[in-house]
């Protein structure tokens, strides 16, 4: 079946790169927000038969950025799916590197909605054939999906390869949170079997969102890689960096699959003492130093 790729407004760089890896044509979109706040999207095509009978790959991350918050990104995704379905797409594949709302996977306080599940049920209702996501915050939420194929891609090897190319030595992988230790252990294996993994104890106040982190680690003269799935406000990362510095760390790399870098995250992380911030192009920004295009394209081939 002939393939065509729709480059979503949130994944302009990644979408085009995946299209090039696959050697298939790309279609861009145009978007706007109506005066009443509603989203609008159309595919940039004059001839709708271009879509008919094709396998259509839609690439749209759903993280916030300067030109759209996650709600807009999700609605734009729904609009692209609906548009290609109406035009007669034979198969629809959604590549959603950052899955918004995945952190709302539990009830933290009485009265809340477990909204991650609702998002996935909404995705089910679109009748997409296949979905590809990357390092979802809580992969267990994916069991809510009832599609033909759900692929969860791991970016750890790519991130590790990039850090190795920077010449990091005497590496220790530090998890900013005990809950993320298993992930950090898997990450550390990409640097060698014996790479040390340490963690700080983090507690987040579920009412205010404030974090408290503790720990004194043995990091003297070590290059430290602090790895997390998401950097949002940078509070977690900046605190872990400060504690790592106090524990004697040499160079510090702040690494995340999804570097949303909200508010003053860049400043907080660098001011805390990070030598570099490294993310993937799940989120289009200046720290997207590692591209997910090849592994995603390999899965789609
Ligand atoms: C939380 O469990 C996540 O893994 C990240 O640690 C969190 O999203 C980071 O948020 P922030 O950058 O606002 O501290």
């Amino acid at each position: 079946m002939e393939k065509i790729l729709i480059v979503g407004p949130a994944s302009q760089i990644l979408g085009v790169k995946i299209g090039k890896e696959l050697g298939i044509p790309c279609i861009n979109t145009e978007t706007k927000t109506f005066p009443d706040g509603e989203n609008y999207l159309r595919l940039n095509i004059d001839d709708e038969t271009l879509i008919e009978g094709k396998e259509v790959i839609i690439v749209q991350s759903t993280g916030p950025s300067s030109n759209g918050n996650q709600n807009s990104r999700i609605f734009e995704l729904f609009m692209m799916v609906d548009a290609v379905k109406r035009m007669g797409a034979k198969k629809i594949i959604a590549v959603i590197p950052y899955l918004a709302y995945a952190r709302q996977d539990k009830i933290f306080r009485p009265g809340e909605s477990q909204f991650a599940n609702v998002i996935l049920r909404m995705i089910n209702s679109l009748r997409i054939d296949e979905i590809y996501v990357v390092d979802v915050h809580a992969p267990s939420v994916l069991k809510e999906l009832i599609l033909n194929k759900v692929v969860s891609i791991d970016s750890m090897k790519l991130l590790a390869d990039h850090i190795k190319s920077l010449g990091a030595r005497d590496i220790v992988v530090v998890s900013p949170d005990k809950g993320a230790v298993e992930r950090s252990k898997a990450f550390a294996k990409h640097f060698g079997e014996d790479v040390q993994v340490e963690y700080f104890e983090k507690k987040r106040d579920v009412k205010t969102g404030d974090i408290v982190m503790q720990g004194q680690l043995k990091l003297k003269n070590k290059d430290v890689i602090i790895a997390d799935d998401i950097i949002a406000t940078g509070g977690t990362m900046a605190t872990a960096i400060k504690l790592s510095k106090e524990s004697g760390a040499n160079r510090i790399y702040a690494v995340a699959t999804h570097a949303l870098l909200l508010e003053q995250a860049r400043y907080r992380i660098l001011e805390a003492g990070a030598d570099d911030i490294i993310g993937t192009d799940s989120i289009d920004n200046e720290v997207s130093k590692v591209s997910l295009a090849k592994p995603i394209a390999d899965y789609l081939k």
Side-chain angles (χ1 to χ4, degrees):
M1 201 185 325
E2 248 184 283
K3 297 176 200 266
I4 198 158
L5 188 143
I6 313 291
V7 179
S11 295
Q12 295 276 285
I13 297 174
L14 178 61
V16 172
K17 283 187 179 169
I18 296 173
K20 283 188 180 161
E21 286 282 346
L22 292 171
I24 60 173
C26 290
I27 293 175
N28 207 357
T29 63
E30 62 177 67
T31 57
K32 65 181 176 187
T33 306
F34 284 111
D36 62 359
E38 289 183 4
N39 289 97
Y40 169 90
L41 176 143
R42 71 173 281 275
L43 305 191
N44 249 337
I45 49 173
D46 294 322
D47 178 7
E48 293 197 348
T49 62
L50 273 175
I51 301 292
E52 207 178 314
K54 303 247 169 72
E55 174 180 310
V56 181
I57 300 165
I58 298 172
V59 185
Q60 169 84 339
S61 222
T62 55
S65 64
S66 55
N67 53 349
N69 67 17
Q70 34 285 71
N71 297 346
S72 296
R73 296 325 197 176
I74 290 168
F75 274 62
E76 288 160 358
L77 170 70
F78 291 179
M79 287 172 174
M80 288 185 275
V81 173
D82 181 61
V84 300
K85 198 171 275 280
R86 182 184 61 70
M87 293 175 215
K90 186 118 189 249
K91 181 173 178 185
I92 302 177
I93 297 174
V95 178
I96 312 173
Y98 176 76
L99 185 65
Y101 288 96
R103 286 183 291 177
Q104 296 193 38
D105 62 318
K106 300 187 188 75
I107 301 299
F108 298 95
R109 298 177 64 198
E112 293 176 346
S113 154
Q114 202 169 348
F115 204 65
N117 291 353
V118 178
I119 293 290
L120 295 172
R121 278 185 236 132
M122 287 200 280
I123 291 175
N124 285 338
S125 73
L126 298 172
R127 297 181 187 281
I128 295 166
D129 296 282
E130 296 178 10
I131 192 167
Y132 293 74
V133 290
V134 183
D135 293 342
V136 174
H137 177 66
S140 58
V141 299
L142 298 174
K143 67 181 180 324
E144 203 69 33
L145 289 171
I146 47 166
L147 314 184
N148 289 340
K149 191 168 171 187
V150 177
V151 179
S152 184
I153 297 171
D154 180 338
S155 72
M156 288 186 216
K157 184 177 180 316
L158 292 172
L159 288 164
D161 286 347
H162 179 80
I163 297 162
K164 281 185 212 163
S165 76
L166 302 177
R169 280 198 301 264
D170 291 331
I171 292 171
V172 178
V173 173
V174 170
S175 169
D177 179 350
K178 197 176 176 185
V181 170
E182 286 313 312
R183 190 173 183 276
S184 293
K185 282 185 182 163
F187 184 52
K189 288 223 168 8
H190 293 289
F191 296 97
E193 280 303 317
D194 302 326
V195 168
Q196 191 185 331
V197 178
E198 302 284 348
Y199 66 87
F200 292 116
E201 294 274 4
K202 172 176 114 174
K203 284 213 170 63
R204 192 183 284 275
D205 182 314
V206 289
K207 276 192 192 167
T208 62
D210 293 344
I211 57 164
V212 178
M213 201 182 282
Q214 287 172 330
Q216 175 74 33
L217 309 179
K218 289 190 181 123
L219 302 177
K220 197 151 179 41
N221 298 326
K222 298 283 188 181
D223 280 354
V224 169
I225 301 165
I226 307 178
D228 211 345
D229 58 335
I230 300 168
I231 298 174
T233 64
T236 302
M237 199 48 97
T239 312
I241 292 164
K242 276 192 191 127
L243 289 177
S244 298
K245 277 276 167 212
E246 284 166 19
S247 299
N250 182 25
R251 291 180 67 81
I252 300 184
Y253 302 91
V255 181
T257 311
H258 312 288
L260 308 181
L261 298 184
L262 309 175
E263 302 166 9
Q264 298 192 9
R266 295 163 179 80
Y267 172 82
R268 294 174 87 177
I269 293 170
L270 294 174
E271 196 269 337
D275 292 279
D276 205 354
I277 310 174
I278 298 153
T280 73
D281 52 5
S282 150
I283 308 294
D284 271 359
N285 62 25
E286 74 278 12
V287 305
S288 317
K289 294 165 185 163
V290 173
S291 182
L292 298 166
K294 177 135 187 3
I296 292 176
D298 287 345
Y299 275 105
L300 292 169
K301 268 175 193 161

